[in-house]
Amino acid sequence: MPSEQSQPSSGHRSASMEKEIIEVVEERLSPDSGPMRASDGQDSSPPPPILTDEEERRLWRKVDLRLLPILIIMYLVASIDRSNIGNAKLQGLVTQLNLDGNRYNVVLTMYFVSYTLGTVPSNLLLKKLRPSRWLPGITLAWGIIATLMGLVKTYPQLIAVRTCLGIAEAGLAPGVFYYITMWYPRHMVQYRIGLFWGGATFAGAFSGLLAFAISFMSGRAGLLGWSWIFIIEGLLTIVVAIAAFFILVDFPAQASFLTPEERAYVVHRKRYDNSSVGEEEHFEMRMLWETLFNWKVIVCCLINASVITPVYGITLFLPSIINGFGFNAVISQLLSVPPYVVATAAVVAWSKWSDIHQKRSPSIFLGLVFCLVGFSINAADVPIGVRYFGTFLVVTGSYAGFPGNVSWMGNNTVGHYRRGIAIGMQVMFANAGGAVASNIYRVRDAPRYLLGHAVELGFVSMGLVLLPVMVLTYRRSNARRDARQRDREARGEKVEYTTEELRKMGNQAPDFRYTL
């Protein structure tokens, strides 16, 4: 039976696990065992070199510098194009397009409806159509759509363009989350996702500052400030998309910026990260049904919704919430910046801690607690300064808690397509929460927005209940597998599985251990 990869609880055990993995890979690459074979039965890349710690750090730094900057910038502009409608609302959008009653909320909802429907199909297409073409392609598409949003003249036109924006953007977030898990070992993932997600967090600050600057263009060419916000920020996205076509690369095996030896190291390190025999790499319909109806995946999706619903609620309505404190539109735009600056630092710091300690649930739990306190403060009858402090807690907790959710799903789902489907489901549930968040901060509830804060507290409470359930489930599963292994060793039994059987088992394989 393949050697076990147990969840490490200390630096010593982590080093031991790495050694065992390397030994398994080396054994399979030895001359006696024949060449390494890919899942389709063909010879794969050359045997990986043995790297020192410093050489390995340099390699991953090289990968980081090639992948992360363009991904961060792409998601930064995506976040701006998605959330800048909150800034445009304060610059004449509602008045000029007659968005009375719940019309503004309907516009927001249609984006999330179309976005939700596109997440899982997009991740299945990503593997077939190449990330270096698919991701820049959809970025270019939504950049054009975002620019056209500045030219709409009626409420129906705004709904139509916003719906198209959701379809175009649907593939980026789940696609990048999946893409990152295809490059990095599972205990290096959250820090990279944290850096990527930090772009979205910083977008909240950058969007407020940009909207403040663009607002002074109101009246130019007969367009109000809200139109210029959409046009200028959409054009920025188009420029980023064109650059991405020349910068973004596909998966490790096709990475021309790496040497053949470096490619071999990354490919084999990732292939044997979740399993001692590698992962299934070819799609079968059973993978779709197994993932869609896996209760653990569904509960993790609900936990993610409990974090991301506050993200969308605070992102879309923070300028309005601060405006409700009694500040004018310009000051409200500026005061929306500091919470995102603090949250960006927290996203990176919490993600780094999680990768070092190889745990995901603590950062999720802390984020939910921050949201619980922050929304409670804003729902209470307290001074304006205290409520503004509460917005810092909500923005920090929701944004900094999210990378742990995506990393957790990626860590505990084995198989390329299973992981892609699971992450797509996770984003789909998240955007269903976004549709809810779009409708709970109603104009008639200003300035306190008690209904919105109450619904957000309900989502956060759901997460605080489900999170311990999943941690306990994973812990008990790991303990049972450890006990079975010790029992077999004590009796001198040896259970044999074929490589194909172990690959099909995925995270049910006896040598797999869940990340907590």
Side-chain angles (χ1 to χ4, degrees), residues 35-324:
M36 174 68 71
R37 304 185 71 83
S39 60
D40 58 1
Q42 301 299 316
D43 290 352
S44 69
S45 53
I50 303 300
L51 302 183
T52 65
D53 290 344
E54 180 57 32
E55 288 172 335
E56 185 178 4
R57 277 193 293 270
R58 283 202 301 267
L59 172 57
W60 291 118
R61 190 156 50 241
K62 184 177 181 179
V63 173
D64 289 341
L65 291 175
R66 182 57 186 265
L67 301 186
L68 296 181
I70 188 61
L71 293 177
I72 290 170
I73 293 171
M74 289 169 70
Y75 201 56
L76 185 146
V77 295
S79 300
I80 290 175
D81 291 333
R82 176 173 58 245
S83 62
N84 59 9
I85 193 169
N87 302 108
K89 180 185 178 185
L90 299 183
Q91 296 297 328
L93 173 69
V94 173
T95 303
Q96 188 171 11
L97 297 188
N98 299 315
L99 302 184
D100 303 323
N102 68 343
R103 283 186 166 189
Y104 176 75
N105 302 92
V106 171
V107 170
L108 299 182
T109 303
M110 292 310 298
Y111 167 88
F112 288 108
V113 170
S114 59
Y115 191 117
T116 299
L117 296 176
T119 53
V120 173
S122 177
N123 264 15
L124 293 177
L125 286 171
L126 177 70
K127 197 86 161 46
K128 297 291 184 183
L129 301 181
R130 299 174 55 195
S132 64
R133 294 294 174 264
W134 177 252
L135 296 178
I138 61 176
T139 304
L140 180 62
W142 93 65
I144 294 171
I145 294 167
T147 304
L148 294 176
M149 198 154 55
L151 303 177
V152 300
K153 302 299 181 185
T154 65
Y155 168 62
Q157 289 175 0
L158 182 61
I159 285 184
V161 177
R162 189 78 180 172
T163 301
C164 291
L165 183 68
I167 295 172
E169 277 197 28
L172 184 70
V176 172
F177 296 146
Y178 174 54
Y179 178 67
I180 288 176
T181 66
M182 296 295 289
W183 269 90
Y184 295 96
R186 62 176 179 160
H187 294 307
M188 295 174 63
V189 163
Q190 185 168 340
Y191 179 58
R192 274 73 186 182
I193 288 180
L195 291 174
F196 169 74
W197 183 245
T201 313
F202 182 70
F206 185 68
S207 182
L209 288 173
L210 196 56
F212 169 72
I214 295 174
S215 66
F216 292 103
M217 294 184 64
S218 184
R220 298 281 181 91
L223 300 174
L224 294 182
W226 69 265
S227 290
W228 284 115
I229 288 174
F230 290 140
I231 291 170
I232 292 176
E233 294 178 356
L235 290 173
L236 176 63
T237 299
I238 292 173
V239 172
V240 170
I242 293 172
F245 276 111
F246 297 96
I247 299 173
L248 203 61
V249 297
D250 292 318
F251 297 112
Q254 297 86 37
S256 59
F257 73 97
L258 297 176
T259 66
E261 293 77 15
E262 289 171 336
R263 283 199 299 272
Y265 184 86
V266 174
V267 166
H268 288 292
R269 176 76 189 275
K270 185 68 194 87
R271 179 175 292 163
Y272 297 97
D273 177 48
N274 279 359
S275 169
S276 59
V277 296
E279 299 182 278
E280 287 189 295
E281 299 179 16
H282 295 288
F283 179 73
E284 296 178 16
M285 281 302 296
R286 65 177 175 81
M287 299 175 185
L288 177 63
W289 306 125
E290 288 171 0
T291 308
L292 288 177
F293 298 105
N294 185 320
W295 75 269
K296 295 185 183 74
V297 171
I298 293 172
V299 172
C300 284
C301 288
L302 290 172
I303 294 171
N304 189 51
S306 74
V307 173
I308 207 69
T309 305
V311 167
Y312 285 128
I314 204 68
T315 299
L316 295 171
F317 294 98
L318 183 59
S320 298
I321 292 171
I322 294 175
N323 187 238

